[in-house]
Amino acid sequence: MNSSFLYHAWGLYNHKCTREEYKGNTIILHIEAKERKKECPKCGHRQLVKNGFRVRDFIGLPIGGKKVIIRMKVQRYKCKNQDCDYDRQESIPFATGSCGYTHRFAKYVVDLLRSMTLKDAANLLGVSWDTVKDIHTRHLEYHYAPPSLEGVDSIGIDEFAVRKGHVYKTIVVDLKSDRILYVGNGKGADALDGFWKRIRRKGVGIKYIATDLSAAFISSVYENCPNAVHVFDHFHVVKLMNEKLDEIRRVQYHMEKDINKRKVLKGTRYLLLSNGADIFDKEYKTRLDNALDMNKPLSQAYYLKEQLREIWMQVNKDDAERGMTDWVKQARESKVPQLVKMATTVTAHRTGILAWYDCHISTGKVEGINNKIKVMKRTAYGFRDEQYFELRLYALHDCRITRNVG
Ligand SMILES: [Zn+2]
């Protein structure tokens, strides 16, 4: 085969093709080095002798819809200088180590995986799923692992379910770059141990941390980063309040004996949990008002829910603190058990809730990343392999990589 074709199609320029073989859907190109090595690379001695060879196969870029195997006669050379121990296989410039594919093929696979699943790419290329995954793993390891901690000072911590409801993982996200910095097993305090170790080893100064109200995260942050500003994510606080409100609605509904009143309560869940300011529909508004008029605990909970959000809408921290004190007082005075409990929670997390005024961070970004993970898992096949899964997470911020999976 013409050597300029060999160069343009497969990037081989130090080699010549001695024979082409056509076998079904595969083209086998037999190649060997154009020139034999003459000088010992170690001592410079002029007498380098051939010392056997090995034939190796490399998957090359496909052509004409056919798979291409580059079959190379890899020569071994030995130095004749008695003081030199050089005895080595010639180098292979187009492939890495013991990999059975060329650099160009690997790059092609990585490109395909931007819009294809592992399985589809393997089918298209006529190679095994493991080969495709191996190529991708190496690529991800080289470019994304371990994630750099340089310049990181604000982080968000959250957990997600790997499989429905059972296996959890905790992720640490750099709030500036949206990169996942760490993936820990479980959702307990020990899930973060490895991360704190890395932080200490690298001397990284974390200044701001956002988490939900999880006791495990709180104690872990307190122990390992006592000087950081720890902000309790406001969406999580509001969510907790919504859960209380929903619980009250359910309890009130079941306690209500009057069928007509029950009817009014039924179907108000969505209205109760929506932001009051977002309900424009007249009919909806009337229905909500009717439900609230008729049930005191429910209306107390509803207005406290609406009021809670205002804690994050103040001009400064002092106003917010006053608002919070007032809120806690009202919640306690309502004597509604769920609201009293919520008052206790808010009080216990007072510092972290108000810390939002020192640094406007939230785990919102982390939630967004969690959604991306969900999408990624939906088309997943490779994620039983924990290491590969972790690598995919480290590359998740890079949209050139994350479009597809599997
Ligand atoms: Zn030598």
Side-chain angles (χ1 to χ4, degrees), residues 128-144:
S128 77
W129 186 85
D130 289 309
T131 303
V132 174
K133 198 177 108 189
D134 178 62
I135 290 172
H136 207 212
T137 302
R138 282 168 183 274
H139 171 79
L140 295 172
E141 268 174 347
Y142 183 78
H143 292 277
Y144 300 97

Side-chain angles (χ1 to χ4, degrees), residues 234 238 241-242 273-278 302-314 327 357:
H234 60 288
V238 170
M241 180 62 214
N242 280 343
L273 299 181
S274 302
N275 284 351
D278 293 342
Y302 178 77
Y303 292 115
L304 280 170
K305 179 213 67 161
E306 290 285 290
Q307 208 183 318
L308 184 69
R309 269 187 290 124
E310 288 174 15
I311 290 178
W312 293 274
M313 292 174 188
Q314 303 306 311
W327 190 95
Y357 282 90

Side-chain angles (χ1 to χ4, degrees), residues 188-396:
D190 55 349
L192 290 163
D193 286 353
F195 178 70
W196 301 126
K197 236 181 245 169
R198 272 197 75 204
I199 287 289
R200 275 191 289 272
R201 207 168 49 224
K202 302 264 172 195
V204 180
I206 302 283
K207 290 188 194 134
Y208 307 104
I209 302 175
T211 70
D212 58 19
L213 302 176
S214 140
F217 292 162
I218 293 171
S219 69
S220 180
V221 167
Y222 182 74
E223 250 171 61
N224 294 283
C225 249
N227 298 321
V229 176
H230 188 176
V231 180
F232 297 140
D233 180 56
H234 60 288
F235 294 111
H236 280 94
V237 182
V238 170
K239 194 175 142 212
L240 201 62
M241 180 62 214
N242 280 343
E243 284 165 18
K244 302 278 185 232
L245 174 62
D246 199 32
E247 200 184 318
I248 293 168
R249 182 194 61 89
R250 254 181 290 125
V251 172
Q252 295 299 321
Y253 177 79
H254 288 294
M255 274 167 47
E256 187 58 67
K257 297 281 185 296
D258 187 329
I259 287 187
N260 285 324
K261 287 188 174 177
R262 266 192 158 205
K263 258 188 196 158
V264 178
L265 280 179
K266 204 179 163 97
T268 51
R269 181 173 186 271
Y270 168 76
L271 294 171
L272 286 166
L273 299 181
S274 302
N275 284 351
D278 293 342
I279 304 173
F280 296 113
D281 190 292
K282 230 180 181 173
E283 201 191 312
Y284 282 169
K285 228 170 164 61
T286 314
R287 204 197 293 173
L288 177 65
D289 287 343
N290 286 344
L292 295 176
D293 280 347
M294 155 191 119
N295 193 300
K296 200 178 172 207
L298 194 64
S299 72
Q300 282 173 315
Y302 178 77
Y303 292 115
L304 280 170
K305 179 213 67 161
E306 290 285 290
Q307 208 183 318
L308 184 69
R309 269 187 290 124
E310 288 174 15
I311 290 178
W312 293 274
M313 292 174 188
Q314 303 306 311
V315 200
N316 56 50
K317 196 172 177 175
D318 289 341
D319 285 356
E321 190 159 14
R322 268 189 290 279
M324 187 190 267
T325 310
D326 182 46
W327 190 95
V328 167
K329 192 165 163 258
Q330 288 185 58
R332 283 198 179 125
E333 282 171 0
S334 75
K335 301 266 187 334
V336 180
Q338 291 87 348
L339 296 177
V340 174
K341 208 171 162 200
M342 187 66 196
T344 309
T345 306
V346 169
T347 309
H349 298 89
R350 186 183 196 95
T351 316
I353 292 173
L354 293 171
W356 187 77
Y357 282 90
D358 303 323
C359 171
H360 286 12
I361 55 171
S362 79
T363 57
K365 274 187 175 177
V366 190
E367 310 272 318
I369 287 164
N370 270 343
N371 283 333
K372 269 188 171 180
I373 296 175
K374 252 182 232 159
V375 175
M376 182 168 110
K377 279 190 307 184
R378 215 169 289 152
T379 43
Y381 293 96
F383 298 141
R384 264 175 226 162
D385 179 339
E386 298 245 338
Q387 186 215 358
Y388 180 65
F389 183 42
E390 210 173 300
L391 286 168
R392 292 297 306 235
L393 293 178
Y394 290 149
L396 198 66

Side-chain angles (χ1 to χ4, degrees), residues 40-45 47-48 79-81 83-86:
C40 173
K42 203 173 173 188
C43 69
H45 193 76
Q47 250 185 314
L48 206 57
C79 182
K80 280 290 253 185
N81 177 359
D83 302 324
C84 177
D85 60 354
Y86 186 85

Side-chain angles (χ1 to χ4, degrees), residues 32-203:
E32 59 184 51
K34 272 183 192 161
E35 285 172 35
R36 63 160 295 183
K37 251 188 174 142
K38 291 183 188 103
E39 207 169 82
C40 173
K42 203 173 173 188
C43 69
H45 193 76
R46 286 302 188 121
Q47 250 185 314
L48 206 57
V49 293
K50 287 184 175 175
N51 189 25
F53 65 86
R54 228 183 103 199
V55 174
R56 277 184 67 187
D57 279 359
F58 303 90
I59 306 166
L61 278 182
I63 195 161
K66 297 200 176 205
K67 193 175 161 181
V68 171
I69 298 290
I70 293 169
R71 186 162 289 168
M72 181 179 172
K73 183 177 170 187
V74 185
Q75 196 64 57
R76 203 174 175 87
Y77 290 101
K78 193 176 158 56
C79 182
K80 280 290 253 185
N81 177 359
Q82 288 193 339
D83 302 324
C84 177
D85 60 354
Y86 186 85
D87 182 4
R88 246 196 230 167
Q89 213 175 258
E90 66 177 307
S91 63
I92 301 160
F94 53 82
T96 306
S98 60
C99 293
Y101 44 80
T102 64
H103 294 314
R104 285 203 174 188
F105 181 76
K107 188 183 174 297
Y108 186 52
V109 167
V110 170
D111 285 342
L112 288 179
L113 290 177
R114 299 193 208 291
S115 55
M116 254 188 195
T117 63
L118 289 179
K119 204 175 153 200
D120 290 343
N123 286 342
L124 176 77
L125 299 168
V127 298
S128 77
W129 186 85
D130 289 309
T131 303
V132 174
K133 198 177 108 189
D134 178 62
I135 290 172
H136 207 212
T137 302
R138 282 168 183 274
H139 171 79
L140 295 172
E141 268 174 347
Y142 183 78
H143 292 277
Y144 300 97
S148 158
L149 295 175
E150 214 184 291
V152 172
D153 65 0
S154 342
I155 56 169
I157 302 170
D158 205 359
E159 81 266 347
F160 70 89
V162 179
R163 280 183 281 283
K164 252 195 189 128
H166 295 296
V167 187
Y168 286 89
K169 284 203 184 280
T170 296
I171 49 171
V172 180
V173 172
D174 174 16
L175 294 179
K176 276 188 195 153
S177 66
D178 290 1
R179 286 177 307 129
I180 294 178
L181 300 174
Y182 183 79
V183 182
N185 288 324
K187 54 176 182 175
D190 55 349
L192 290 163
D193 286 353
F195 178 70
W196 301 126
K197 236 181 245 169
R198 272 197 75 204
I199 287 289
R200 275 191 289 272
R201 207 168 49 224
K202 302 264 172 195

